[in-house]
Amino acid sequence: MGTNTVYEDCDVLVVGGGMGGTGAAYEARYWGRDMRVIVAEKANIDRSGAVAQGLYAINCYMGTQWGENNPEDHVRYARNDLMGMVREDLAFDMARHVDSAGHKFEEWGLPFMKSADTGRYLREGKWQIMIHGESYKPIVANAARNSADKIYNRIMVTHLLMDESRDNRVGGAVGFNCRTGDYHVFRAKAVIVAAGGASHIFKPRSVGEGMGRTWYAPWSSGSAYALSIQAGAKMTQMENRIVLARFKDGYGPVGAYFLHLKTYTQNAYGNEYESTWYEDTKAMVGEYIDHHPTPTCLRNHAFIQEVKAGRGPIHMVTKEAFQDPHLEEVGWENFLGMTVSQAVVWASQDIDPKYINPELTTSEPYVMGSHATCSGAWCSGPEDLSPEEYFWGYNRMMTVEGLFGAGDAVGGTAHAFSSGSFTEGRLAAKAAVKYVKDLKNEKINVTDKQIDDLREIIYKPLDNYKIGRNEIVGGTVSPSYLLPIQGLQRLEKVMDEYVGGTSVNYMTNDKLLERGIALLDIMEEDFEHIGAEDLHQLMRAWELRHRLLTSQSVAQHTMFREETRWPGYYYRGDKMKLDDENWHCLTLSRRDPETKKWTMEKAPVYHIVD
Ligand code: SFD
Ligand code: AMP
């Protein structure tokens, strides 16, 4: 395996062809007409990433052409939802460009719903517009295909390459083809990491035969974080994992229901419950509970408290809205275009939301940077907006030279969603092209040794299995190797119990974290012994390694921030209050690639918009 090596030399390499990656490929071609632009994607860009199943709404659209919202308004909205802190420069930059993503999608054939009264895009809520989006991803992928020189599908990128002639500069990436086993070496002058967020780092509520059913895509393996962390890039706000209120078991999103169908929640006894928890929440977070709209985490907090108090389950009141045949149709279509499993769960459990109010649940935590959360890499902002601490030359460039990010990969940019992630890809690509142009004739030096060493590391799980398999006559338990699924379940259990997952009601503290971090470190040693039976399992092995690094980062950040900033996402039992005096700041981490030691620091939150 891995004896056949495929080399690709390019100017701009895009890792991950999801929403950020497709935007990057499209824009790189626009600014870099004569540049070689390559996409390396784990799956197939037609149906890869979080948008694989389609989406029913574009959740970030200003509507500036009709005077609906301005970018400043969106910064205020995202800041409010994130309990006071986002990277306002990055958020504003995304918001001022995001509308054109919607316009492009429509031009490329995505069907938008329109208001019969105004002819404008039909609003689901203040920021969201509604689409018939089952084919959202193939439509956007087509534009990327028309732009890139080549799209390599089925390539699991495992590591970034580093330039050996200059410290702290990227030189490309390596990975393997999940179908052929070929070793792929991409030498590149600039790399844009757009490999998405992370599910399955905390134990999911659905285990066993249901373990594939999570809200965020089960194939989101934290690669965007792990690739960047391995290269020594700084991360920010990794403690800000997100918990979603979702329809039970199918994890169907609730936005269309709350905002368009105007449904509402109640406890098992038919009572409104959010006001019950108002004083309790105020004591923890102060005036943030009076903000409008109520921050997502605080809505979760009331939900979690009410269930803990014994008055669950929480129901979504659908019976009223579903009497209107139009709204009934929208309610079902919403899932058929985005989360088919929810419609299947209801059908299989005899739940007709016209007659029965369905149950909601709170999900296991996910790590991402584009929903009501902002974990990700610490990136430079745009030159016209960013204060000194937020700017080092190129928009969306990480703290490693030549390494850029988009979508879930970038920290500080909450509420970007699909359209904002695509937009960030465009912004990153524009800057990456400029970076390559500025390099002029300077060469990137990646030695054969670096390439050969990584090849050894990447294929090792296949050898572990081949050799270790001889020691057992049957079954799956070996004294010499761990299977990826066994490793995954161990990781999920530690994250769940020590770092604030569902089984402990999202609670952790300094002592639990200390132990959790130690257990994750032991796991890092053990995962040297992962055994992969075939190429598919080799992909699972590397997804697991990426999830572990993401988890370590989350645990380190959670330990560092000594307060409970987002009740409803997680609680630090030893520091149960929000502490604006000491922690109205962003958190930063760096893992030294040589020593593997983490260092943590604070970074200022600049309020650029008043
Ligand atoms: O309703 C490697 N999202 C929603 N956004 C919206 O605009 N509207 C909605 O309605 C949304 N909702 C929603 C959403 C997501 C999901 C799963 C559901 C519902 C059920 C969020 C968006 O989807 C999200 O913000 C963007 O997709 C983020 O973009 P990006 O580019 O950061 O991630 P990606 O699209 O998942 O793409 C990642 C790509 O990388 C590949 N990849 N490739 C090579 N090597 C590796 N090691 C790789 N690891 C990953 C992936 O295959 C993928 O192509 S609602 O809930 O709000
Ligand atoms: P969701 O379906 O929960 O992912 O939400 C889709 C969009 O609607 C996101 O922009 C959410 O922030 C927003 N949203 C969902 N529920 C509410 C709510 N109860 N109040 C305000 N905004 C919401």
Side-chain angles (χ1 to χ4, degrees), residues 15-21 40-43 48-51 55-60 136-137 155-158 194-197 215-217 219-221 223 227 246 253 338-339 368 370-371 406-409 417-419 421 546:
V15 177
M19 289 312 290
E41 160 61 46
K42 171 171 82 169
S48 68
V51 184
L55 295 176
Y56 199 68
I58 288 177
N59 280 346
C60 186
Y136 190 178
K137 189 63 208 299
I155 307 290
M156 171 81 200
V157 174
T158 57
W215 167 72
Y216 214 44
W219 43 83
S220 296
S221 49
S223 294
L227 291 169
R246 286 292 176 257
M338 167 159 73
T339 316
M368 57 179 299
S370 62
H371 203 282
D408 284 334
F417 293 100
S418 61
S419 46
S421 297
H546 288 178

Side-chain angles (χ1 to χ4, degrees), residues 15 25 58 73 100 118 123 131 187 233-234 246 262 341 351 354 395 426 444 479 527 530 535 552 575 582 589:
V15 177
I58 288 177
D73 304 322
S100 75
T118 62
R123 281 278 174 198
I131 53 174
R187 287 175 296 222
K234 282 188 185 176
R246 286 292 176 257
K262 307 271 186 279
S341 51
I351 297 168
K354 195 171 180 176
N395 201 357
R426 295 181 68 185
I444 302 286
F527 285 3
I530 291 286
L535 290 170
Q552 288 173 312
K575 306 273 177 191
N582 296 301
S589 66

Side-chain angles (χ1 to χ4, degrees), residues 196-201 216-217 220-222 225 365-368 408 547 550:
S199 59
H200 281 287
I201 70 165
Y216 214 44
S220 296
S221 49
Y225 312 120
Y366 309 104
V367 185
M368 57 179 299
D408 284 334
R547 285 189 163 105
T550 305

Side-chain angles (χ1 to χ4, degrees), residues 59 77 124 128 246 253-255 258-259 293 296 299 371 415 417:
N59 280 346
Y77 165 63
E124 179 178 291
Q128 305 80 1
R246 286 292 176 257
V254 296
F258 276 131
L259 303 176
T296 306
R299 276 188 273 124
H371 203 282
H415 289 275
F417 293 100

Side-chain angles (χ1 to χ4, degrees), residues 232-246:
K234 282 188 185 176
M235 295 287 124
T236 187
Q237 302 291 89
M238 292 297 282
E239 69 279 22
N240 180 219
R241 79 294 288 281
I242 184 170
V243 170
L244 281 298
R246 286 292 176 257

